[in-house]
Amino acid sequence: MSNKNKYIVLFICFALGLSSFNSYGQDLQSYIEEAIANNPEIQKVDLQYKIATEKIKEVNSLPNTEFNFGVMAIAPEVEMPMERFRVSVMQMLPWFGTITSRENYASAMADAQYVEVTIAKRKLALSVSQLYYTLYEIRAKQAVLQKNIALLETYERLALTSLEVNKASAVDVLKLQIRQNELQQEIDVLDQQNKGIQAAMNSLLNKPYDAAVEVSEALEIPENDIIFSYDSLAVNPELLKYDKLYQSVEQSELMNLKESVPIIGLGVEYINQEKSPMSTSSYQDMVMPMVSLSIPIFNNTYKSRTRQNTLQKQEIQSQKDERLNMLTADLSKAISQRNQSRIKFNSQQKNLKQAEDAEGILIKNYETGTIDFNDVLDIQELQLKFQMNQIESINMYYVQSAIINYLVH
């Protein structure tokens, strides 16, 4: 499998991993594909890759062929034949294998640039996923707030009914109405947040800022997490990039060695002669084959490049080790936060069940003629808190899962 095909497979696995987290409503994968097709950043790095591949053709050529032409401006009065003009052509030929070494270097640089394309696509896919799940969180919270407002309206009607029989006060009704106003305010604030995140999402898709973005209406934390290994970090393109850069430096050194050897030149010169009026001899035009040799006697330049290449390979290896440490830390952090989100979700699930039981008791008390609307507000606030926390936990789970998928696939 070629390097390019290998990176395509890596990206497909990564994209499928992201889409597997979302199986409700509009598919996240469709947004990822749309972003990759239209995002200017991807188009930019793809053009940079095409430029790098074009350089392979650039180096696959010989130096310019030299042509010289000279003509005698003033004819001398001598008995020797007079030279009317001369023409020469010279072609310098690099040492055997020099052009191949240049092609290999340019190809290695193109491979490194292609990894940049893969990285850019994966980062874009991750950004789209994060914004997608943020939109889910905002809209899920709005839906919960709407349900709570409807619930408070039910309690308000109960309070008005109790007010008529002096079992509730006008203050209770006002408190319920104030609470509804507060929840409506939260919905309006979330609506503004939704517009901002949607605009950011559309910028990645290269669409108008106010274009509609549809997301899943319901997400659930799966029972089991995807199994992976820290060793999978080794295939992350951010690390493979350093391998390609290392190989390009190696090819640069091979090219440097080839260029440090002599260059041969082959040519021919033609001299056109005219018989002098003062001469009785016969002369003919001359054709003279020529060979030249360019020798880098003072080759400190090539020695310096060798030392630079050695140091550059050490630098690239250090950069790779540093990046591996950072990716390992990012993976550990993502795993920890994903586990935290599961723990928090399960805890909020238990709390929500207990709050619903408490709500049931209040409703039962109303049937017997007694209800404390302060307790109603307290329970409603607790329920809302638990529901919002659950939504945040779901968002965190999927965002951290997307990060893990980016790191290990």
Side-chain angles (χ1 to χ4, degrees):
M1 180 182 296
S2 66
N3 289 328
K4 184 174 180 180
N5 290 337
K6 178 173 68 175
Y7 297 131
I8 293 174
V9 170
L10 286 174
F11 179 75
I12 292 175
C13 291
F14 167 65
L16 290 176
L18 285 178
S19 62
S20 66
F21 295 135
N22 175 52
S23 56
Y24 309 89
Q26 177 139 0
D27 190 4
L28 169 61
Q29 180 63 20
S30 65
Y31 284 120
I32 293 175
E33 292 173 355
E34 185 177 358
I36 291 173
N38 301 323
N39 187 269
E41 174 70 17
I42 300 301
Q43 295 172 2
K44 181 191 73 174
V45 294
D46 189 56
L47 288 172
Q48 290 173 345
Y49 167 67
K50 291 179 179 178
I51 292 173
T53 55
E54 194 64 29
K55 288 184 179 294
I56 300 175
K57 301 177 184 178
E58 174 187 333
V59 300
N60 185 17
S61 61
L62 295 173
N64 291 340
T65 303
E66 295 183 8
F67 292 91
N68 293 293
F69 176 78
V71 63
M72 184 66 69
I74 300 175
E77 295 182 359
V78 295
E79 295 184 0
M80 297 177 61
M82 294 183 296
E83 179 182 318
R84 290 192 295 183
F85 65 88
R86 66 171 60 194
V87 178
S88 68
V89 58
M90 176 67 70
Q91 177 66 60
M92 302 302 293
L93 301 173
W95 198 258
F96 302 104
T98 301
I99 293 180
T100 301
S101 68
R102 292 174 183 171
E103 289 179 338
N104 292 339
Y105 172 70
S107 179
M109 293 300 296
D111 288 343
Q113 185 59 46
Y114 188 79
V115 180
E116 293 288 355
V117 176
T118 304
I119 293 173
K121 289 181 179 180
R122 288 165 61 93
K123 286 185 175 180
L124 177 61
L126 179 59
S127 297
V128 170
S129 301
Q130 291 172 325
L131 292 175
Y132 182 94
Y133 294 129
T134 301
L135 284 175
Y136 159 77
E137 177 184 347
I138 291 172
R139 296 176 186 181
K141 285 182 175 180
Q142 287 180 313
V144 167
L145 288 168
Q146 290 287 5
K147 291 179 181 179
N148 276 265
I149 288 176
L151 180 62
L152 288 173
E153 289 173 348
T154 300
Y155 286 138
E156 182 185 354
R157 289 192 292 270
L158 295 178
L160 290 171
T161 302
S162 299
L163 181 62
E164 294 176 357
V165 294
N166 295 323
K167 291 184 178 181
S169 66
V171 174
D172 293 328
V173 177
L174 291 173
K175 285 182 178 180
L176 290 167
Q177 292 174 344
I178 291 171
R179 183 57 180 159
Q180 291 177 58
N181 294 336
E182 290 177 343
L183 297 188
Q184 184 59 50
Q185 173 187 293
E186 292 186 40
I187 290 175
D188 295 339
V189 170
L190 287 171
D191 187 58
Q192 294 303 313
Q193 293 179 7
N194 179 79
K195 291 179 180 179
I197 300 299
Q198 185 170 264
M201 179 84 157
N202 282 320
S203 70
L204 297 181
L205 302 175
N206 199 26
K207 295 170 63 175
Y209 75 95
D210 56 350
V213 177
E214 300 296 331
V215 300
S216 299
E217 295 182 358
L219 290 176
E220 298 178 357
I221 294 180
E223 295 183 1
N224 300 310
D225 297 326
I226 298 176
I227 300 176
F228 63 90
S229 169
Y230 274 81
D231 294 336
S232 301
L233 285 172
V235 300
N236 188 293
E238 289 195 43
L239 296 179
L240 296 177
K241 175 184 69 174
Y242 294 108
D243 294 336
K244 290 301 177 183
L245 290 175
Y246 193 94
Q247 293 173 13
S248 70
V249 176
E250 290 183 329
Q251 292 298 330
S252 175
E253 178 57 22
L254 292 175
M255 182 178 66
N256 179 54
L257 294 175
K258 288 294 184 180
E259 292 181 343
S260 65
V261 298
I263 299 177
I264 300 174
L266 299 176
V268 64
E269 185 174 43
Y270 169 74
I271 301 176
N272 182 271
Q273 299 184 100
E274 182 180 10
K275 182 178 179 181
S276 171
M278 302 173 61
S279 174
T280 59
S281 302
S282 175
Y283 292 91
Q284 296 181 349
D285 296 343
M286 293 188 297
V287 177
M288 181 172 59
M290 295 183 297
V291 177
S292 68
L293 189 64
S294 175
I295 303 175
I297 298 176
F298 305 101
N299 60 350
N300 289 333
T301 298
Y302 302 105
K303 292 180 180 178
S304 176
R305 288 178 185 173
T306 296
R307 290 193 293 269
Q308 292 177 43
N309 288 332
T310 300
L311 294 172
Q312 193 171 1
K313 286 193 291 185
Q314 295 174 1
E315 179 190 10
I316 291 173
Q317 186 60 51
S318 297
Q319 289 176 338
K320 180 181 179 181
D321 294 340
E322 178 187 17
R323 190 58 186 157
L324 176 58
N325 291 337
M326 294 178 64
L327 294 180
T328 303
D330 291 342
L331 180 57
S332 298
K333 179 181 177 181
I335 294 171
S336 174
Q337 292 187 349
R338 187 180 68 175
N339 293 339
Q340 292 176 42
S341 66
R342 182 182 291 278
I343 294 171
K344 290 179 179 179
F345 179 86
N346 292 336
S347 176
Q348 301 304 322
Q349 187 76 10
K350 295 177 182 177
N351 291 337
L352 185 59
K353 178 64 171 60
Q354 292 173 340
E356 290 172 349
D357 292 341
E359 180 187 19
I361 294 174
L362 289 176
I363 297 298
K364 188 175 182 180
N365 287 343
Y366 176 75
E367 294 174 355
T368 62
T370 61
I371 187 170
D372 188 335
F373 286 99
N374 288 325
D375 290 342
V376 168
L377 286 172
D378 290 341
I379 292 298
Q380 183 274 334
E381 188 171 352
L382 281 175
Q383 280 185 311
L384 179 60
K385 175 184 175 182
F386 300 147
Q387 289 170 331
M388 299 293 251
N389 287 344
Q390 274 192 317
I391 294 172
E392 291 174 1
S393 297
I394 292 173
N395 175 57
M396 178 183 287
Y397 178 89
Y398 280 94
V399 168
Q400 298 307 317
S401 295
I403 293 174
I404 293 171
N405 191 62
Y406 170 82
L407 293 172
V408 301
H409 287 90

